[in-house]
Amino acid sequence: MKRQTLCIGNKTAKLPLIQGGMGVGVSLSGLAGAVAKEGGIGIISTAQIGYREPDFEQDPKKANLRTLRAELKKARAIAKKADGTCDGLLGFNIMVATRDYEDYVRAAAAAGADVIISGAGLPVDLPQYVEGTDTRIAPIVSSEKAARLLLKNWDRHYHRTADFLVIEDAHAGGHLGFSREQLAHLKEEHFDSDYDQEIRRILACVNGFAEKYGVHIPVIVAGGIMDAASVDHMLSLGAAGVQVATPFVTTKECDAALPFKQAYIDACPEDIEITQSPVGMPARAIRNAFLEKMKQGKESISRCYRCLEKCSPKTAPYCITQALIRAVEGDTDNGLIFCGDNAGALTQITTVKDVIQRLFPDTICATS
């Protein structure tokens, strides 16, 4: 199937590819910059992005907002080719569940992000926060109901629509937009083909709003995409591109520590499980000593890093900030290792170029 460039408003990426945002610290400037250099859309996760800063313990928000700007600047330097141009785009994934969500969005737009993608909740007021900027915005949805609800809200209150939209299916990593009951049917024979119909319904919904506003709204599909065949399948459904995250973890350019990447390589498919995050949302992660320990009881929380709006140290079973930081820094026995459903298929450390050529085998990468 012929693969088009990905046009989002007045911005164009050479490849119809978004690298999914992964936090804490998994997709920062190193990974996002490398993806953008190859012509994709590199996404930096803002989730506790300043965790390595010396003042993070004292003022996490201040450290995060400062690092947000610095990581985008570093990513742009990485993405720039020898002639000074860049074939891709750069932006941020900002969870709606983030405490002080508005401040992070405004900071990202002010820093010059090409795009902002928001999930883990519906970003009902996102248009307001980027008004007057050239930053393009997309919600992450998992159902036609959510897509229609959000786009109707933006239409009614902001007289605009999405610049693009990401559909995240049940094979994705981290927090998921599905109930545990829905996820229990994931391995059943007709689950994926039934969800293909949901993708078509979302596309029809989006196209209705695109026609109303006289614009093109690219729809990007995410979750479980590993190779050219899965890319072609999503494009055949009518998607304008794909979002891929998990395969980029086991690349040299990924910002996580080597033991974190090795945990993906060592994982078998049966090691991937659905757990529940401290905010009550189903999430996918690699089974390890930490998850087994949390099944037996709570972990003592000494302080709150004010990361998620609905998380309270009084009721949370563990601090998700500390658990994710431990993992990304290499303590994989005592940390939380979010992953996609396909993590068990990864067998070696590769490069961003390798991943892209597996997804788009007819592509000539910038580093070739």
Side-chain angles (χ1 to χ4, degrees):
M1 177 172 291
K2 185 178 181 181
R3 302 177 180 94
Q4 304 293 332
T5 57
L6 183 55
C7 297
I8 300 174
N10 62 345
K11 302 175 185 293
T12 302
K14 184 181 75 172
L15 292 173
L17 169 69
I18 297 175
Q19 160 253 308
M22 297 171 282
V24 170
V26 180
S27 64
L28 298 175
S29 57
L31 178 56
V35 171
K37 185 173 184 177
E38 303 296 353
I41 300 180
I43 299 296
I44 299 166
S45 169
T46 64
Q48 301 297 52
I49 190 172
Y51 74 98
R52 295 179 295 191
E53 293 295 292
D55 60 338
F56 177 74
E57 291 281 332
Q58 290 72 41
D59 194 341
K61 181 180 175 182
K62 182 179 179 181
N64 287 337
L65 293 178
R66 181 176 66 250
T67 306
L68 180 155
R69 295 186 290 270
E71 287 294 315
L72 181 60
K73 184 177 180 180
K74 288 193 287 186
R76 290 210 182 280
I78 292 168
K80 191 179 295 184
K81 297 191 298 184
D83 62 2
T85 63
C86 177
D87 289 332
L89 302 173
L90 286 161
F92 293 96
N93 179 290
I94 308 177
M95 295 188 297
V96 179
T98 301
R99 196 181 297 270
D100 300 320
Y101 170 73
E102 176 182 350
D103 294 338
Y104 284 88
V105 172
R106 290 189 182 278
D114 295 314
V115 300
I116 291 174
I117 300 172
S118 279
L122 290 180
V124 292
D125 294 319
L126 180 55
Q128 177 184 340
Y129 306 150
V130 299
E131 189 174 359
T133 75
D134 195 37
T135 299
R136 303 299 173 177
I137 56 174
I140 298 175
V141 300
S142 296
S143 68
E144 188 271 345
K145 180 180 179 181
R148 187 171 299 280
L149 178 67
L150 184 71
L151 295 179
K152 283 180 69 174
N153 177 281
W154 286 10
D155 178 32
R156 183 183 305 114
H157 294 287
Y158 299 106
H159 310 293
R160 63 158 295 173
T161 192
D163 295 308
F164 62 116
L165 181 141
V166 177
I167 301 173
E168 195 170 86
D169 77 12
H171 294 281
H175 292 104
L176 301 168
F178 296 82
S179 68
R180 276 186 170 270
E181 182 180 357
Q182 289 172 313
L183 293 168
H185 299 286
L186 181 61
K187 303 302 181 182
E188 294 179 3
E189 183 179 356
H190 298 294
F191 187 95
D192 289 336
S193 59
D194 288 347
Y195 195 73
D196 284 351
Q197 297 306 312
E198 185 71 9
I199 291 172
R200 292 188 175 98
R201 287 189 286 269
I202 296 171
L203 283 162
C205 170
V206 172
N207 288 339
F209 286 93
E211 289 176 10
K212 177 174 182 176
Y213 283 90
V215 297
H216 172 58
I217 306 175
V219 174
I220 315 302
V221 180
I225 296 167
M226 285 285 286
D227 52 28
S230 50
V231 172
D232 285 344
H233 176 69
M234 295 308 178
L235 297 182
S236 74
L237 296 177
V242 295
Q243 178 175 286
V244 176
T246 294
F248 284 115
V249 171
T250 53
T251 62
K252 294 177 181 178
E253 297 91 341
C254 175
D255 298 274
L258 183 58
F260 185 94
K261 303 174 188 183
Q262 190 63 44
Y264 275 54
I265 293 170
D266 293 342
C268 299
E270 55 269 26
D271 294 326
I272 312 303
E273 68 175 54
I274 301 298
T275 184
Q276 185 163 301
S277 87
V279 292
M281 296 177 67
R284 179 172 281 111
I286 295 176
R287 184 184 300 115
N288 63 355
F290 174 76
L291 282 186
E292 293 304 306
K293 179 182 176 183
M294 289 304 98
K295 292 173 185 176
Q296 307 304 317
K298 296 178 62 174
E299 182 178 70
S300 176
I301 300 176
S302 59
R303 61 159 299 158
C304 178
Y305 293 87
R306 300 182 60 79
C307 59
L308 301 178
E309 188 65 45
K310 295 182 179 180
C311 183
S312 168
K314 294 181 180 179
T315 57
Y318 59 88
C319 174
I320 192 168
T321 285
Q322 290 181 331
L324 290 170
I325 290 175
R326 288 196 296 262
V328 79
E329 289 186 333
D331 186 0
T332 54
D333 286 335
N334 298 298
L336 177 60
I337 311 170
F338 279 154
C339 70
D341 194 36
N342 55 16
L346 301 171
T347 59
Q348 61 183 336
I349 301 295
T350 60
T351 65
V352 162
K353 174 183 173 181
D354 292 333
V355 173
I356 290 177
Q357 291 193 324
R358 189 162 64 246
L359 297 167
F360 304 99
D362 54 350
T363 296
I364 299 174
C365 290
T367 52
S368 295

